[in-house]
Amino acid sequence: MADIDKYMKMAKKVVIKPEDHSIEDKIIERISSVKESDKSLLDGNFMDYLKKSNSRLYLFSEGIKNNPGRFILVLMSIFAVLALIVFIFRKNAQLCRKPENGRKNPEAD
Amino acid sequence: MDEIEGKIPEEAPECNQEVEDKKITEILAGDKKQEHREPDDKRLVALSQKGDKAAFEGLVRMYSKYVYTNAFFMLRDAHEAEDVSQEVFVKVYLSIKNFRGLSSFKTWLRKLTINTCIDKLRIKSKTADKKVSLEAFEENYDIVFTDLNHNTERNFIARETIKEVLGVIVNLEESYRIPLILRDFQDYSYREIAILIKKPIGTVKTNIHRARKIIKDKLKYEKEKKI
């Protein structure tokens, strides 16, 4: 299967040339003759796609749904960093308190 | 042109080593050009949004073959692929002002092409499933390779194998071909494919696995036949 994956990766970058090699000119010609009636191509499906592709929230939620593992990993990393910060903060606070106690005792004596 | 034709002449490859090396240099140069494509297309998109027709033509020249190739593999029909390419660019032309650029233009175009092809496939699902012979595929279509390494002999073998792989893919049944192309060529997730083709995710995974196995078996068979 590893070989297949290698060739599939290479095949992914292949481009097929049209038979008559003039696809660009045909498209440009088609665009130059766009009429009002062509707006019917922008049907419900297309408008829905356009709306979704312009929504940050939708793209973000799709990203999570398509790759939940990565999202969980990111959440866990954030949680780990936060836990580390809290731990360091508490440790520092403890270290600050200890010498104060130490100093108070001789003063009391 | 940032692409080099991958068709190999009939003569032995070692006779044309100089030409081959030149081609590879050009391919590598092409790849470098491709790296600079992103800023270029951003500028062209921005100009097109302001109504610059020449800039839009630049986008057409940049991506028409990419759209055509995607449509061809989905529909395996040259004329329909051409129609879809034109339809996609008309849609883009009419709506480019509303494109906010949250994803790259290429991704937006690719997804639009796939959606248009899926719509076409739904319409023609009742028609007979036609097959393209491997010979006809190789004779009628110029395959352009944009990613090859330095070793010329390896390149030759790789090109031939890729042609065989593409021939097998084009001839796969629709239920195997579409999920495989979406997954391996278009980087869709299994979930997205399941939604697009309206099939359960388990079926999608099974069909992709089977399609890969068919390709593997056919390649193995061809290799054994050659020996």
Side-chain angles (χ1 to χ4, degrees), chain B residues 129-147:
Chain B
D129 213 13
K130 35 186 163 170
K131 298 253 173 185
V132 185
S133 78
L134 185 58
E135 290 76 23
F137 178 72
E138 285 186 20
E139 276 170 23
N140 294 336
Y141 305 104
D142 282 350
I143 302 171
V144 181
F145 294 91
T146 56
D147 185 34

Side-chain angles (χ1 to χ4, degrees), chain B residues 155-172:
Chain B
N155 271 348
F156 180 74
I157 297 164
R159 280 174 184 162
E160 291 307 303
T161 314
I162 292 167
K163 277 183 190 175
E164 278 172 24
V165 168
L166 291 175
V168 177
I169 292 172
V170 165
N171 280 303
L172 282 173

Side-chain angles (χ1 to χ4, degrees), chain B residues 120-129 174:
Chain B
K120 293 270 173 213
L121 284 171
R122 274 186 198 133
I123 293 166
K124 74 160 197 176
S125 62
K126 284 173 190 169
T127 61
D129 213 13
E174 202 172 291

Side-chain angles (χ1 to χ4, degrees), chain A residues 3-53:
Chain A
D3 258 11
I4 295 291
D5 289 343
K6 188 180 88 183
Y7 289 120
M8 289 296 270
K9 268 183 195 166
M10 289 167 100
K12 191 179 165 181
K13 291 177 182 172
V14 155
V15 173
I16 303 286
K17 269 193 180 175
E19 283 165 308
D20 58 3
H21 299 261
S22 61
I23 186 80
E24 296 162 4
D25 298 329
K26 280 183 182 172
I27 294 169
I28 290 167
E29 202 183 306
R30 175 76 178 84
I31 285 159
S32 58
S33 61
V34 165
K35 295 170 201 155
E36 196 65 25
S37 57
D38 286 318
K39 283 189 177 169
S40 63
L41 286 173
L42 309 182
D43 54 6
N45 283 348
F46 174 78
M47 294 316 284
D48 186 45
Y49 169 67
L50 187 68
K51 200 177 153 189
K52 283 174 178 171
S53 66

Side-chain angles (χ1 to χ4, degrees), chain A residues 13 15 26 49 54 66, chain B residues 82 98 100 108 146 191:
Chain A
K13 291 177 182 172
V15 173
K26 280 183 182 172
Y49 169 67
N54 278 338
N66 289 329
Chain B
E82 222 176 272
N98 299 317
R100 280 180 63 193
W108 190 62
T146 56
R191 189 190 138 267

Side-chain angles (χ1 to χ4, degrees), chain B residues 67-112:
Chain B
V67 170
Y68 179 86
T69 304
N70 285 333
F72 178 81
F73 282 126
M74 291 289 286
L75 304 165
R76 59 178 173 191
D77 183 297
H79 296 292
E80 279 188 48
E82 222 176 272
D83 287 347
V84 164
S85 306
Q86 290 187 17
E87 192 178 322
V88 165
F89 277 103
V90 170
K91 282 177 180 175
V92 172
Y93 181 71
L94 291 171
S95 61
I96 197 156
K97 279 179 187 168
N98 299 317
F99 172 64
R100 280 180 63 193
L102 296 182
S103 58
S104 76
F105 179 73
K106 195 178 177 182
T107 306
W108 190 62
L109 195 63
R110 191 190 70 201
K111 289 199 170 182
L112 181 56

